[in-house]
Amino acid sequence: MTSVPRAVARPSGRGRAAAALAIGAALLLTTVLLGLAVGSHHEPVGTVIDVVARRLGLGDPHVTLLDDQIVWQLRLPRVLGAAATGAGLAVCGAVLQTLTGNDLADPFLLGISDGAAAGAVTVIVLGVGVSGAVATGAVATAAFAGALLAAVVVLALAGARTRSLPTTRTVLAGIAVGQMCGAYTSFVVMVLGDRDAARGVMEWTLGSVAGVRWPTAVFLIAVALAGVTVLASSARDLDAFAFGETAARSLGVHVDRTRWLLIATAALVTACLVANTGVIGFLGLVVPHVVRLLCGPRHALLLPVSALAGASLLVGSDILARSVLPDREIPVGVITAGLGAPFFAWLLWRQGRTDGRGQ
């Protein structure tokens, strides 16, 4: 008698997982098509499909040079770059929340955003004689170097003498390094910069995918795919971490080594993404919570669905960023914060009500 419910329950669980992944994939495909169609110059979805099909050699539909330029050269790399960035940040956020046991953890917990900002500010404000395409590459390179240096310092401080990464020390080291980088950034902007430099710094720290072209898009996609693959391969270890270090050790997980590998991977992925898009907040914080609420905490499902949801959210936010105002573009970080902050406040209020009832 007991074997029947088990046989029914297993397919049901797999069915729910498949449904969640299918819905996430459909949502991402929809937002990508909208991202290619919507903008200052509207492109019909049929034209978008024709342009992509022609470029992929799936036919020879008639498309104009203007349509090809807008869809393939300008919008597609931007949309794919946004999708890769959103997926990477969301998965990194989910992993860091589990590893640190901190619901407020996000990809920038390790001082990465402040380190990237410090590197970008160094070039934007102090970069004498750097302009044009060279300036764009220099800012991205300096931001990556700053983000990576901040992450290395945090890991070194947190793991000093013990070769482990205690959660509390890791978080405190991230806060300390972030504050130091923030102080440096404020000093350079306020004392050494001018209005144009301050405006450039503010625009960079609010995040944007407007400048993403094919070389950058390919890089972002490669980074996101590699990072998500490495992090998702440790789904079982992350499930064990969710019950605490003691439980993880009892299940055979090498706690210190696994934490080092996953935090270092999340830091490297975030540094690569932030260096090319600027700081895009709230996405890596909110998306994992939403997915846990809908799909549960099992990381084998949580991570891929978070990747799809994060990609869809950032592509959708970018659509709003370039569509809300007819003659200018809003930084995408403003959109993600505007969408994420109210939802997160509601989530905290809902959790508070649940805890109150439990007492």
Side-chain angles (χ1 to χ4, degrees):
M1 296 294 292
T2 58
S3 62
V4 175
R6 290 178 184 172
V8 174
R10 287 177 183 173
S12 177
R14 288 196 296 268
R16 284 195 296 269
L21 291 172
I23 292 172
L27 179 62
L28 177 58
L29 179 60
T30 301
T31 54
V32 166
L33 287 175
L34 286 175
L36 295 176
V38 175
S40 58
H41 179 83
H42 177 71
E43 293 282 352
V45 174
T47 301
V48 168
I49 295 174
D50 286 343
V51 170
V52 175
R54 179 175 178 273
R55 283 285 187 165
L56 296 179
L58 301 178
D60 191 21
H62 176 72
V63 294
T64 67
L65 181 61
L66 178 61
D67 291 335
D68 182 83
Q69 185 76 15
I70 292 174
V71 174
W72 187 264
Q73 298 294 343
L74 297 179
R75 290 184 185 169
L76 186 57
R78 175 174 181 161
V79 167
L80 294 180
T85 301
L89 292 179
V91 171
C92 288
V95 169
L96 290 175
Q97 287 167 10
T98 298
L99 291 177
T100 62
N102 185 350
D103 290 340
L104 297 179
D106 71 352
F108 306 126
L109 177 70
L110 306 180
I112 294 173
S113 62
D114 295 296
V121 164
T122 301
V123 172
I124 293 173
V125 178
L126 304 179
V128 179
V130 179
S131 60
V134 175
T136 302
V139 170
T141 302
F144 173 74
L148 193 59
L149 180 60
V152 169
V153 172
V154 169
L155 296 179
L157 290 175
R161 298 184 180 181
T162 62
R163 293 186 179 181
S164 63
L165 289 175
T167 298
T168 302
R169 286 179 59 181
T170 304
V171 173
L172 291 177
I175 293 173
V177 171
Q179 290 297 316
M180 287 190 294
C181 292
Y184 166 81
T185 299
S186 299
F187 173 80
V188 171
V189 173
M190 298 300 294
V191 176
L192 304 178
D194 54 21
R195 284 187 180 179
D196 292 336
R199 181 180 179 83
V201 170
M202 184 181 70
E203 290 177 351
W204 189 89
T205 55
L206 290 175
S208 175
V209 292
V212 174
R213 297 295 179 262
W214 275 114
T216 304
V218 171
F219 174 75
L220 293 174
I221 293 170
V223 168
L225 285 175
V228 171
T229 300
V230 171
L231 296 173
S233 67
S234 299
R236 289 188 177 182
D237 292 342
L238 289 167
D239 287 340
F241 267 101
F243 294 99
E245 291 186 12
T246 303
R249 285 193 176 92
S250 68
L251 293 172
V253 178
H254 194 299
V255 170
D256 295 333
R257 183 176 63 194
T258 302
R259 183 183 280 123
W260 266 103
L261 172 64
L262 296 182
I263 288 182
T265 300
L268 180 61
V269 170
T270 303
C272 292
L273 299 177
V274 169
N276 290 278
T277 63
V279 180
I280 299 174
F282 273 97
L283 191 147
L285 176 64
V286 173
V287 170
H289 284 290
V290 177
V291 176
R292 283 193 192 93
L293 189 65
L294 298 176
C295 301
R298 192 167 60 90
H299 287 82
L301 180 61
L302 172 65
L303 297 184
V305 175
S306 292
L308 293 171
S312 299
L313 178 59
L314 191 53
V315 173
S317 298
D318 183 52
I319 294 172
L320 291 176
R322 51 191 163 96
S323 303
V324 172
L325 299 178
D327 56 345
R328 62 181 304 180
E329 186 171 310
I330 301 173
V332 71
V334 174
I335 302 296
T336 57
L339 295 175
F343 180 84
F344 196 64
W346 172 83
L347 195 65
L348 291 175
W349 174 79
R350 181 179 180 276
Q351 185 177 2
R353 287 191 61 188
T354 303
D355 293 342
R357 290 173 181 174
Q359 295 176 354

